[in-house]
Amino acid sequence: MKTIIAACSQNLSGSRASIQTALRTLLAVPWPSQRDVRSALQLLAVLQWVLSFLLLGTVSLLLLIYLLFTRLWLVPVLYLAWIIFDWDTPEKGGRRLPCLRRWTVWKHFRDYFPVKLVKTHDLSPSHNYIIGSHPHGILCVGAFCNFITGSTGFEELFPGIRSFLTTLAGNFRLPVFREYLMSGGLCPVTRRAIGYLLSQKGTGNAVAIVIGGAAESLSCRPGVTTLILKNRKGFVRMALRHGAFLVPSFSFGENDLFRQVVFEEGSWMRSIQRRFQKMMGFAPCLFYGRGLTSGRSYGFLPYSRPITTVVGEPVAMPKVENPSRELVDRYHELYICALLKLFNENKTKYGLSESDELHIL
């Protein structure tokens, strides 16, 4: 009996010593610093944004199709009925949720790059505006962060101005994703949707349009500043019809977030991209960024490069119900001059050299 008690005592002593050793080892491990925690939160904020834009619509659609063949079939049926009833809402201003625009997650998203908004001139709440956003880049990070989230202080810099951002109309046909987009203030890049915001919502509305669109994303690469703008005049016609002032904006650093395999004009791969773009509305880009675990690995997350979006001087526009081609061309030239002035006055401040030029195609 004494032998058994002694053995148990020895085992308990050994276990106690092992626990104490494990606790010492655990306490010796350095706790993550505040900087490490901030970096992790910033990375997670960017990850959720990328996954939302790349997968939320497709995954939601597949999930609803799957539920149709389960006991929960009523859920997709009711949601489909809701979409039919709510079909025109995206083109009638959508449903902005101020609380979503003020999410803390967007501050971490902003700080990951970081993104900064710079004002050069005031915007009067007594007018409506069309903001030209350049360049497109791969995922329009600068435009999204500045005009959709409240993290960079757009409403504080431009009091009385409500910002909207346009995107492909097809995105609003995807279940759940459409609700996500509308809640932030996104609307379809259609005449009807833009016209509604400029004529039916009073004044103080600023509709941001990424004018270069999918075609411009095909030329996106670091060190190259090429815009598709020369033949893009629909936004000028819309501005004239509604008397909305045109405002150029440029996001310095937007093209540095990803690396893209750029195919030369005339190659068979570029022709495939062009055809796909015409059919689907967006261009299939072969790009890569950093990985989830390390900035030196390859993945689909953007690199942390600073983005500075500079909002330029408004171009005053008359209200002309049916503007002539000559009038559209004249104000299109004025807009390009304002954009070039904005670019040249700020390029050396935000990472470019004096010799860098803005190529407009």
Side-chain angles (χ1 to χ4, degrees):
M1 187 66 179
K2 291 181 179 180
T3 304
I4 295 174
I5 293 173
C8 290
S9 299
Q10 187 175 0
N11 287 337
L12 288 173
S13 299
S15 299
R16 191 180 299 112
S18 300
I19 293 173
Q20 290 174 346
T21 303
L23 287 174
R24 290 195 200 98
T25 303
L26 181 62
L27 293 174
V29 175
W31 288 89
S33 64
Q34 290 185 352
R35 181 179 179 181
D36 293 334
V37 173
R38 283 197 303 268
S39 297
L41 291 174
Q42 292 166 12
L43 192 63
L44 289 174
V46 174
L47 176 64
Q48 67 83 25
W49 179 78
V50 172
L51 291 179
S52 296
F53 270 82
L54 295 181
L55 298 177
L56 180 58
T58 303
V59 171
S60 299
L61 178 61
L62 294 175
L63 179 60
L64 289 175
I65 293 174
Y66 168 75
L67 291 177
L68 278 173
F69 302 96
T70 68
R71 289 179 297 176
L72 299 175
W73 60 269
L74 190 58
V75 173
V77 168
L78 290 175
Y79 185 71
L80 178 59
W82 162 252
I83 288 181
I84 294 173
F85 173 78
D86 195 54
W87 190 259
D88 289 335
T89 298
E91 295 195 334
K92 293 183 177 179
R95 281 187 298 272
R96 291 162 61 98
L97 293 179
C99 59
L100 186 140
R101 294 168 66 97
R102 292 194 297 266
W103 270 2
T104 303
V105 69
W106 301 131
K107 294 181 180 179
H108 297 304
F109 179 87
R110 172 201 64 194
D111 294 339
Y112 171 83
F113 297 96
V115 182
K116 181 182 178 183
L117 180 64
V118 175
K119 180 180 82 169
T120 61
H121 293 79
D122 291 330
L123 299 182
S124 171
S126 61
H127 297 290
N128 284 325
Y129 303 90
I130 290 181
I131 300 178
S133 179
H134 311 274
H136 183 284
I138 297 294
L139 294 179
C140 303
V141 172
F144 176 86
C145 191
N146 289 299
F147 303 128
I148 292 302
T149 78
S151 62
T152 56
F154 182 92
E155 294 179 353
E156 289 74 25
L157 287 174
F158 302 101
I161 304 297
R162 296 176 296 275
S163 61
F164 299 84
L165 178 64
T166 58
T167 185
L168 292 174
N171 289 329
F172 295 89
R173 306 296 179 249
L174 295 172
V176 181
F177 191 45
R178 69 190 294 274
E179 323 299 340
Y180 178 74
L181 295 178
M182 283 192 291
S183 64
L186 282 116
C187 63
V189 61
T190 62
R191 291 180 182 178
R192 184 184 177 191
I194 297 172
Y196 184 91
L197 292 173
L198 297 178
S199 62
Q200 303 296 320
K201 301 272 290 182
T203 60
N205 299 299
V207 183
I209 304 175
V210 187
I211 297 169
E216 193 171 279
S217 67
L218 295 177
S219 302
C220 167
R221 61 182 184 269
V224 177
T225 312
T226 301
L227 304 183
I228 306 297
L229 180 58
K230 190 172 292 185
N231 295 317
R232 301 290 175 96
K233 301 179 182 180
F235 72 102
V236 179
R237 190 176 298 277
M238 285 292 296
L240 286 168
R241 284 177 176 171
H242 298 282
F245 289 13
L246 289 176
V247 183
S249 72
F250 196 93
S251 293
F252 294 91
E254 183 73 47
N255 284 349
D256 298 331
L257 304 183
F258 293 95
R259 302 291 182 266
Q260 182 182 182
V261 180
V262 178
F263 300 101
E264 297 297 327
E265 290 291 345
S267 65
W268 65 275
M269 279 299 298
R270 177 54 72 97
S271 64
I272 290 176
Q273 287 178 315
R274 294 289 189 195
R275 290 176 184 175
F276 191 93
Q277 173 199 331
K278 290 180 180 179
M279 290 188 297
M280 304 300 295
F282 64 94
C285 302
L286 297 179
F287 66 91
Y288 64 90
R290 60 157 290 176
L292 183 60
T293 57
S294 170
R296 298 178 180 178
S297 59
Y298 296 111
F300 57 89
L301 296 179
Y303 293 106
S304 54
R305 303 285 187 268
I307 302 172
T308 303
T309 300
V310 185
V311 180
E313 182 179 3
V315 177
M317 306 287 285
K319 185 174 182 180
V320 182
E321 187 67 30
N322 293 302
S324 64
R325 180 179 299 180
E326 292 75 17
L327 188 63
V328 171
D329 289 343
R330 189 203 314 168
Y331 280 98
H332 186 261
E333 283 297 322
L334 288 176
Y335 176 82
I336 290 179
C337 290
L339 177 61
L340 288 171
K341 179 184 177 183
L342 176 71
F343 177 81
N344 290 323
E345 288 180 351
N346 292 278
K347 61 183 179 182
T348 56
K349 299 177 185 178
Y350 304 115
L352 300 180
S353 66
E354 189 65 41
S355 59
D356 285 323
E357 296 182 354
L358 187 62
H359 303 283
I360 296 178
L361 301 179

